[in-house]
Amino acid sequence: MLYVEILGNLPEMARDEVKAMLELAGGRTAGQDYLFLKIEAGGEAFPYLNRLGLAHEYGELIVEADSVDELLEKARGVEWPIKGTFKVDTETMANCRHNVLDLPRKLGAVIHAQGFRVNLSRPDTLVRVYCGEKVYAGIRLRYFDPKDFEGRKAHHRPFFRPISLHPRVSRALVNLTKAKRELLDPMMGAGGILMEAGFLGLKVYGVDIRPEMVEGAEMNLRHYGVRDYELKLGDATRLEELFDKKFEAVATDPPYGTSATLAGRRRDELYRKVLESIYGVLEPGGRLAIAFPADFDGKAEAERAGFELVGRYYQRVHKSLERYFYVFEK
Ligand SMILES: C[S@@+](CC[C@H](N)C(=O)[O-])C[C@H]1O[C@@H](n2cnc3c(N)ncnc32)[C@H](O)[C@@H]1O
């Protein structure tokens, strides 16, 4: 059994991102306790879990219990797969119902009694305790370092536009499409979504209506080492004229506002046409992940274009921008 700790700012989107990856890997979620997901999957799921954007870490779940005493009792009965030295770390989640103050020391003693040495400053193995409705102990296998994503935030890129999604969110959008081979962003801007897809080894296709964006996105992709791309100057409402192929997956973040990014179009009309155009170039069964401001009924409009809603996630960006991320299937 594995576990994933998801991030708390878009929890439902984070949970569904994990589910999408497990669908590709042939595993499933076996339970949830606040931000802690229990996963039924073997090592073959690691490459897919490694793709996650909205996760804090994943690991091997070793014991699960209804009380601290039961956890310690069970911990005595298992052989801990510790490599080198270890340390016990506790995550007290907002719904924690147990007193876990003393647990790191007590669990540490149990594991120490099996012959493993503690190293608090540089442990080789991190034993993670999670307190929620229940208590869990596991071994961290992968930590998603925020620095890896922060370094790709818009202002660090050679071509900078303040319109980009956070790289973790871009990554999650890509994953929610369940793309395995390729991804199209028909309104790519500075290429933030394409960068995340490119890192996953997907072939990326991008379109923007402004020449400086096409140049800028290419600069960014090259800077971060993404090489397998095809970028075009063009209109997202006429994708069938731009490509003579269909796509496995599409993810995009259309312009929201009043600014020049709408290229002179009326916003809602642009969104409707873009939805129809994307529908036209998606493979049957292919998925679209897309963001719309909250005052646009993305579900109704996408259904009108022929899509089926798979998921919808609310985010308040600031006082004057609330949006939904949608996942649709053709
Ligand atoms: C919000 S930005 C995308 C930001 C992008 N996700 C990123 O991370 O950098 C939207 C982009 O859509 C482009 N755009 C606007 N109308 C378009 C159209 N009809 N066809 C293609 N691109 C369009 C704008 O030029 C702008 O670069």
Side-chain angles (χ1 to χ4, degrees):
M1 192 76 89
L2 302 176
Y3 74 85
V4 179
E5 180 192 351
I6 55 174
L7 296 181
N9 41 357
L10 285 161
E12 284 160 14
M13 187 161 154
R15 177 206 59 208
D16 285 355
E17 186 194 21
V18 174
K19 282 188 178 166
M21 288 302 92
L22 291 173
E23 280 168 33
L24 291 184
R28 61 174 203 100
T29 43
Q32 177 167 7
D33 189 342
Y34 194 51
L35 300 177
F36 183 88
L37 301 182
K38 269 167 56 180
I39 305 292
E40 250 170 45
E44 70 286 352
F46 296 161
Y48 294 100
L49 294 177
N50 286 339
R51 287 174 53 158
L52 292 171
L54 298 176
H56 185 267
E57 68 178 84
Y58 71 79
E60 189 181 347
L61 177 58
I62 308 290
V63 277
E64 169 184 345
D66 288 315
S67 70
V68 165
D69 287 342
E70 188 192 337
L71 185 93
L72 290 168
E73 185 55 39
K74 286 183 169 172
R76 284 186 199 100
V78 297
E79 273 180 40
W80 282 80
I82 307 278
K83 290 193 190 84
T85 58
F86 78 99
K87 173 188 173 181
V88 182
D89 221 37
T90 310
E91 200 60 48
T92 310
M93 297 190 290
N95 66 338
C96 173
R97 299 204 298 122
H98 310 270
N99 181 356
V100 289
L101 269 183
D102 244 6
L103 189 52
R105 197 179 51 77
K106 288 182 176 164
L107 181 58
V110 168
I111 298 172
H112 179 71
Q114 294 190 4
F116 300 107
R117 272 192 315 116
V118 175
N119 181 336
L120 295 180
S121 52
R122 289 183 67 88
D124 301 310
T125 302
L126 198 59
V127 174
R128 292 278 282 162
V129 168
Y130 286 88
C131 177
E133 289 293 315
K134 295 185 168 198
V135 261
Y136 312 85
I139 286 183
R140 177 189 279 178
L141 296 175
R142 165 85 196 258
Y143 169 61
F144 296 95
D145 194 338
K147 275 187 260 147
D148 293 348
F149 289 98
E150 298 297 318
R152 298 201 292 275
K153 275 172 93 165
H155 58 278
H156 293 296
R157 302 174 192 162
F159 178 75
F160 165 63
R161 285 292 178 279
I163 49 172
S164 282
L165 297 174
H166 190 285
R168 282 187 181 272
V169 174
S170 294
R171 175 68 68 88
L173 290 179
V174 173
N175 284 332
L176 284 162
T177 69
K178 298 207 278 179
K180 281 209 278 197
R181 307 188 312 270
E182 62 182 13
L183 184 119
L184 164 70
D185 182 348
M187 308 178 106
M188 67 182 162
I193 293 175
L194 297 182
M195 273 162 42
E196 297 305 318
F199 292 141
L200 302 177
L202 304 177
K203 161 127 198 203
V204 297
Y205 297 84
V207 176
D208 204 285
I209 203 158
R210 288 150 73 200
E212 71 266 33
M213 289 299 181
V214 181
E215 269 174 43
E218 175 160 24
M219 222 193 275
N220 285 341
L221 289 173
R222 296 195 73 79
H223 176 76
Y224 288 99
V226 176
R227 293 284 180 269
D228 201 6
Y229 60 81
E230 205 178 306
L231 308 183
K232 293 191 185 207
L233 178 65
D235 187 339
T237 64
R238 309 173 73 133
L239 294 169
E240 278 168 301
E241 293 168 24
L242 286 174
F243 297 99
D244 52 14
K245 74 183 283 312
K246 303 273 189 234
F247 295 90
E248 182 189 28
V250 178
T252 197
D253 176 32
Y256 303 139
T258 46
S259 68
T261 55
L262 286 168
R265 307 278 186 87
R266 283 188 41 231
R267 191 197 73 173
D268 291 11
E269 190 186 307
L270 173 73
Y271 292 171
R272 275 183 214 114
K273 289 200 166 139
V274 166
L275 282 167
E276 284 167 16
S277 171
I278 292 171
Y279 192 84
V281 295
L282 256 186
E283 290 172 358
R287 280 189 174 188
L288 161 67
I290 190 165
F292 287 123
D295 63 353
F296 177 78
D297 190 347
K299 175 176 182 287
E301 296 297 345
E303 283 173 351
R304 189 166 305 160
F307 284 107
E308 220 175 275
L309 180 75
V310 176
R312 177 167 64 170
Y313 316 98
Y314 171 80
Q315 186 188 39
R316 185 173 185 273
V317 186
H318 49 71
K319 210 166 62 195
S320 54
L321 178 57
E322 293 172 86
R323 69 182 160 204
Y324 283 96
F325 296 104
Y326 294 86
V327 182
F328 298 112
E329 199 162 286
K330 175 168 175 176

